[in-house]
Amino acid sequence: MMNPLVSVGCLPEFNRVEAHHVVPGVKQVVKELEKDLLQLECFAASSFGENGGDLWEALVHPFERILDRLTVVWGIVSHLKDVKDSDALRAAVDEAQPLRTNFLLRLGQSKALYQAFEKICNGALFDTLNEAQQRVVEGRLKDAILNGVALEHEKKVHFNEIQQELEKLLNKFSENVLDSTKLFGKLVTDISVLEGLPETALALAAQAAVSNGYEGANAKSGPWLITLDSSMYSAVMRFARNRDLREEVYRADVTVASGESFDNFPVITRILELRQQKAELLGYENHAQVSMLQKMATLDSCHALLEKLHSCSRDAAIRDMRELEEFVRSENSEEDENLFHWDIPYWTERFREAKLDMNDEELRPYFSMPNVMDGLFSLAKRLFGVHIEELEENTPVWDKEVKLYKVAECASGENLGYFYLDPFSRPHQKRSGNWMGVVFNRSHAAVQKGGVVRLPVAHIVCNQAPPLPDQPSLMTFYEVTMLFHEFGHALQHLLSKQDEGLVAGSEGIEWDAVEIPSQFMENWCYDRNTLMSFAVHYRTGQGLPEALYTKLKSSRTFFSASNVLYLVSRSLIDLKLHAKLEAVNSKEIYNLCNKVAGEILILPPLPEDKSICKFLHLFATTEYAAGYYSYLWSEVLSSDAFGAFEEAGLENETAVKEAGKLFKQTILELGGGRAPAKVFEDFRGRGPSINALLRHRGLVRKPDRIRAEAAEYRKLLPLGLKEQ
């Protein structure tokens, strides 16, 4: 049978792709693309005509098809590695990676293509192009420069060697995190050790035990296997009364991928060295400068935002910690004198329960996954006029729990695209976290014969607890917000109206703007009408009590200042690591991370905290390197965008639908075909304001009161929080 990577149809045959297909498939695709590229370069080097439309079809669309085909094939491979990891697949990816990288360098460094795009940009044709096409041309020129098209001889060879090594290191970093995480497992046979854990966590631990060979394990009698899977880790840290258990799990988590077996410090060191060398070859002082070339922000405006958020949050975070300590003392706990890192999540949860009279486990029965999905799809229909339905036919997928959905316009019935949903955790083969990935971009150039435009396809991947024999998957509120978040990314991809694939969906968007639709969607989880539409008890059928909704909404700002400080700290660590360090070694990296965290956070990190070794955003991808601040930058815009709905009146259905229509026509449909600053102004009628973010985070300042409380607290003693 034909290799499923060589000829990809309307939907990839995920169920057929095996490790042994990867190397021969990538080899054949690259070989065919080499021929296509040579043919295109011959045309580009010739004296092509002055007709803009003909030129676009003859030059730009073939370029897009070449890039698209390899992107699709490698996207399938890398996706399977993320969700269905195996030693054989890793080995195949390692062998095929240089083939892909070599070709992308060859394509990006093609002088014939660069000169052709440059001729378009500088000629009379440029003014005849629409805005999206102009963004395509400008983007191709910038990408070519950053791919080293201007380098010659030894510099070019060195640049390409760097890129090859970087690709291997990014893979290695991710693999070390996954393998090190899987390495930890604590088998518990005495249920008293797990006192305080909710039933859902006990069931998850029993399932983990079964998966590791302990047949017959169950939630009531065990045994139970405690792992570092995100759902399990969160449950232990927030609910386990056993302080020793919390400490053991916490210490294991902050030292992931930093031990002898899987040590990421050498990997980080080398990545930083290579990124610095690459930046210097391109004529820049450091990687942070290179990163900002593809962002909305400048380094100055980025640091200004982080400083603003730090100043707005620190005193409030100190005040929150003071209240937490006072609460612990009021509980007459033996832990009241020395609160350690593994105590903070547990006591914060107890404090929240006492202050708001609610906890996440109380909410979980109201958030069954089928109901949440129905509510999410109803919201998409309400705001954006789209209908979403599951396709029941035998679709090729990578796991039996994966489902495929179709998205269509309600008014016209026009099919807009498709997305896969892979919702449940599989710790033995699936990486942690939540993400949206692209299968196909919307594209006129890549459409199959007889079509008008290829429709976009995405996949949404989550890691929530799977269903149990007697109940559906019950989600925490955090998991609900993360599902809404990733769905926001998918909406921008699926509802795009750009037919130029190089700027469709999130393609071509400055990276610090890509989180706008995802963070925007999170806000709807706190909207009463939206939440009540799906928050129904899975057994009784009763809706979420009004009092519980009020408490949930109040919890939004609970300890929010500390969360902002965490994001500021991580963003600054990222930027400082990607500035030019005096010495790049494990000790320097460790010292820098602890110094920045110590200056920003209320509780400095443990001396043995090496969580930088699992910072996947920075060292398993390229987009977020010197770009982690994007989460906060985008939140300014997404909060302000949601503010438009608040100003219109969330109870005013007509106004909400009108605002939703405009959001769809701008933020979601325009994609990378228009600069994000202009797109935001199209929607909001002005530039962004930070006020909505501060309000949503509960950081609208009452300076005198907050500063007075913080000053009083500092006078008492050094913080009751201890380092160990």
Side-chain angles (χ1 to χ4, degrees):
M1 296 179 68
M2 180 176 286
N3 189 314
L5 294 175
V6 173
S7 180
V8 180
C10 295
L11 291 172
E13 295 181 280
F14 286 111
N15 59 331
R16 280 194 56 219
V17 178
E18 302 288 346
H20 65 82
H21 291 123
V22 174
V23 174
V26 173
K27 278 184 177 179
Q28 184 172 340
V29 168
V30 168
K31 184 178 180 180
E32 292 173 8
L33 291 179
E34 284 280 4
K35 294 179 181 178
D36 294 340
L37 177 56
L38 282 171
Q39 184 177 352
L40 183 59
E41 285 179 319
C42 288
F43 170 78
S46 68
S47 179
F48 48 71
E50 292 297 318
N51 187 298
D54 292 344
L55 175 58
W56 201 262
E57 292 289 337
L59 176 72
V60 181
H61 281 176
F63 174 86
E64 182 188 330
R65 283 191 288 270
I66 290 170
L67 182 60
D68 178 83
R69 187 179 179 196
L70 185 57
T71 300
V72 167
V73 169
W74 195 255
I76 295 169
V77 172
S78 58
H79 173 65
L80 289 175
K81 185 172 180 291
D82 283 339
V83 298
K84 202 174 179 179
D85 187 45
S86 69
D87 290 341
L89 187 54
R90 286 187 185 186
V93 169
D94 287 345
E95 186 176 348
Q97 180 78 62
L99 300 172
R100 167 186 175 264
T101 304
N102 273 337
F103 181 78
L104 288 177
L105 287 168
R106 164 90 170 80
L107 180 66
Q109 294 171 356
S110 169
K111 283 186 166 38
L113 294 184
Y114 177 76
Q115 289 165 359
F117 277 105
E118 193 174 41
K119 183 175 180 180
I120 296 173
C121 187
N122 296 331
L125 286 177
F126 189 77
D127 291 335
T128 70
L129 302 178
N130 62 42
E131 186 177 24
Q133 291 173 325
Q134 290 179 351
R135 291 263 294 174
V136 167
V137 173
E138 291 166 345
R140 290 307 98 197
L141 290 173
K142 182 184 291 185
D143 285 350
I145 292 295
L146 297 181
N147 274 313
V149 70
L151 300 178
E152 300 286 355
H153 310 304
E154 293 85 358
K155 288 185 177 180
K156 180 178 178 180
V157 172
H158 185 36
F159 182 93
N160 292 352
E161 290 172 345
I162 287 172
Q163 193 59 33
Q164 284 285 10
E165 188 176 354
L166 274 173
E167 294 290 346
K168 293 179 181 178
L169 290 167
L170 298 180
N171 274 334
K172 184 62 176 175
F173 186 92
S174 181
E175 290 170 358
N176 281 349
V177 172
L178 180 61
D179 291 341
S180 180
T181 301
K182 290 192 295 185
L183 202 60
F184 178 84
K186 180 179 177 64
L187 188 68
V188 178
T189 56
D190 180 1
I191 197 169
S192 67
V193 175
L194 304 178
E195 185 181 0
L197 285 186
E199 290 184 12
T200 51
L202 293 173
L204 192 62
Q207 277 191 333
V210 171
S211 298
N212 282 268
Y214 294 92
E215 295 183 9
N218 61 76
K220 291 185 177 180
S221 59
W224 305 269
L225 187 66
I226 303 300
T227 69
L228 296 181
D229 173 64
S230 57
S231 297
M232 177 69 65
Y233 174 82
S234 175
V236 170
M237 297 311 299
R238 292 164 58 214
F239 296 106
R241 292 178 187 150
N242 189 313
R243 195 183 198 186
D244 291 338
L245 176 63
R246 298 199 309 264
E247 178 181 357
E248 182 178 356
V249 172
Y250 181 87
R251 289 184 182 276
D253 184 67
V254 298
T255 54
V256 161
S258 65
E260 292 182 3
S261 300
F262 306 103
D263 186 2
N264 265 340
F265 265 123
V267 180
I268 294 171
T269 300
R270 188 58 179 158
I271 288 174
L272 292 175
E273 287 175 342
L274 293 175
R275 284 174 174 166
Q276 178 63 34
Q277 291 176 24
K278 188 176 172 183
E280 290 176 359
L281 283 170
L282 293 173
Y284 296 94
E285 292 182 11
N286 52 54
H287 180 75
Q289 289 185 354
V290 175
S291 175
M292 291 298 160
L293 296 174
Q294 297 175 309
K295 306 292 196 298
M296 287 180 70
T298 63
L299 279 172
D300 287 343
S301 60
C302 173
H303 280 287
L305 173 64
L306 297 177
E307 176 55 36
K308 171 73 172 177
L309 291 172
H310 178 225
S311 66
C312 288
S313 303
R314 184 162 178 82
D315 285 348
I318 291 173
R319 178 198 61 200
D320 289 343
M321 202 61 73
R322 176 188 181 183
E323 292 180 355
L324 179 63
E325 286 190 297
E326 290 173 348
F327 170 75
V328 176
R329 281 193 289 271
S330 73
E331 293 291 297
N332 297 316
S333 167
E334 63 181 23
E335 301 175 19
D336 65 349
E337 293 299 324
N338 295 291
L339 281 180
F340 296 113
H341 297 73
W342 45 88
D343 301 323
I344 303 300
Y346 176 80
W347 283 109
T348 301
E349 190 67 22
R350 303 292 77 73
F351 186 28
R352 188 170 75 139
E353 291 171 358
K355 191 171 184 178
L356 302 177
D357 191 26
M358 63 163 284
N359 63 57
D360 270 355
E361 289 305 307
E362 184 182 4
L363 292 169
R364 194 191 284 263
Y366 293 95
F367 298 140
S368 70
M369 184 188 156
N371 284 347
V372 174
M373 295 299 296
D374 287 344
L376 180 58
F377 296 165
S378 294
L379 178 64
K381 183 176 183 179
R382 175 187 173 209
L383 295 180
F384 310 125
V386 296
H387 173 70
I388 301 170
E389 64 176 325
E390 181 184 344
L391 296 181
E392 300 288 350
E393 59 256 34
N394 189 23
T395 303
V397 294
W398 55 93
D399 185 86
K400 59 183 177 63
E401 299 292 352
V402 175
K403 300 183 184 302
L404 179 66
Y405 295 87
K406 173 184 173 181
V407 183
E409 291 280 6
C410 291
S412 64
E414 177 190 356
N415 188 7
L416 299 176
Y418 305 87
F419 70 92
Y420 299 89
L421 177 66
D422 183 354
F424 305 128
S425 172
R426 297 187 298 276
H428 59 292
Q429 61 175 195
K430 182 179 178 182
R431 74 173 172 91
S432 62
N434 308 277
W435 66 94
M436 188 284 292
V438 172
V439 181
F440 299 137
N441 279 332
R442 179 182 174 94
S443 172
H444 171 68
V447 69
Q448 295 186 357
K449 289 183 179 179
V452 177
V453 65
R454 184 185 65 185
L455 296 179
V457 181
H459 48 70
I460 297 174
V461 183
C462 302
N463 270 284
Q464 62 204 46
L468 299 174
D470 61 341
Q471 68 182 39
S473 173
L474 300 179
M475 304 171 70
T476 65
F477 184 69
Y478 172 78
E479 288 171 339
V480 173
T481 60
M482 287 300 96
L483 177 61
F484 273 60
H485 178 103
E486 300 307 335
F487 187 69
H489 282 305
L491 283 172
Q492 185 173 50
H493 181 67
L494 296 166
L495 305 191
S496 175
K497 290 297 185 183
Q498 297 290 0
D499 289 345
E500 299 298 336
L502 296 171
V503 290
S506 60
E507 192 72 24
I509 294 180
E510 284 76 355
W511 194 255
D512 45 9
V514 297
E515 298 292 338
I516 295 173
S518 54
Q519 293 173 333
F520 166 83
M521 288 298 293
E522 290 183 47
N523 289 286
W524 293 99
C525 296
Y526 295 93
D527 172 55
R528 184 187 180 283
N529 289 338
T530 302
L531 192 70
M532 293 302 194
S533 73
F534 63 80
V536 178
H537 198 287
Y538 79 100
R539 280 186 178 150
T540 67
Q542 296 296 310
L544 184 73
E546 191 69 37
L548 204 49
Y549 164 71
T550 301
K551 295 169 186 176
L552 174 61
K553 191 169 183 180
S554 297
S555 72
R556 183 176 192 179
T557 58
F558 189 74
F559 271 63
S560 176
S562 294
N563 178 254
V564 172
L565 290 184
Y566 173 80
L567 292 172
V568 170
S569 169
R570 301 290 268 183
S571 300
L572 286 173
I573 286 171
D574 172 30
L575 290 171
K576 289 180 181 294
L577 284 175
H578 287 102
K580 189 172 183 178
L581 299 177
E582 291 184 7
V584 183
N585 55 58
S586 298
K587 183 178 180 180
E588 180 77 9
I589 294 165
Y590 168 82
N591 288 341
L592 185 149
C593 293
N594 278 17
K595 181 177 184 293
V596 173
E599 291 171 350
I600 301 298
L601 302 178
I602 305 303
L603 178 59
L606 289 175
E608 62 266 40
D609 188 326
K610 299 180 177 68
S611 53
I612 188 67
C613 290
K614 61 168 188 168
F615 203 164
L616 290 165
H617 281 80
L618 267 58
F619 302 112
T621 69
T622 57
E623 293 87 356
Y624 280 104
Y628 192 75
Y629 77 91
S630 298
Y631 282 103
L632 289 170
W633 185 273
S634 287
E635 190 176 346
V636 172
L637 285 82
S638 65
S639 295
D640 199 9
F642 188 73
F645 290 80
E646 294 174 313
E647 292 163 14
L650 293 173
E651 299 296 327
N652 185 335
E653 193 65 15
T654 300
V656 166
K657 287 184 176 180
E658 282 300 313
K661 181 180 179 181
L662 183 57
F663 187 89
K664 178 188 177 189
Q665 292 172 340
T666 53
I667 306 293
L668 299 181
E669 290 185 353
L670 294 178
R674 185 168 171 82
K678 293 180 180 179
V679 173
F680 185 86
E681 289 184 14
D682 291 340
F683 172 68
R684 205 64 171 99
R686 57 165 174 75
S689 166
I690 197 174
N691 292 337
L693 181 152
L694 297 178
R695 178 164 48 80
H696 292 160
R697 288 278 190 173
L699 299 175
V700 176
R701 309 190 74 190
K702 297 176 181 177
D704 293 340
R705 178 169 171 265
I706 291 177
R707 287 173 183 162
E709 289 179 347
E712 179 186 352
Y713 186 36
R714 291 191 188 100
K715 290 177 183 176
L716 294 177
L717 282 171
L719 290 179
L721 306 163
K722 307 295 182 182
E723 291 185 61
Q724 179 167 310

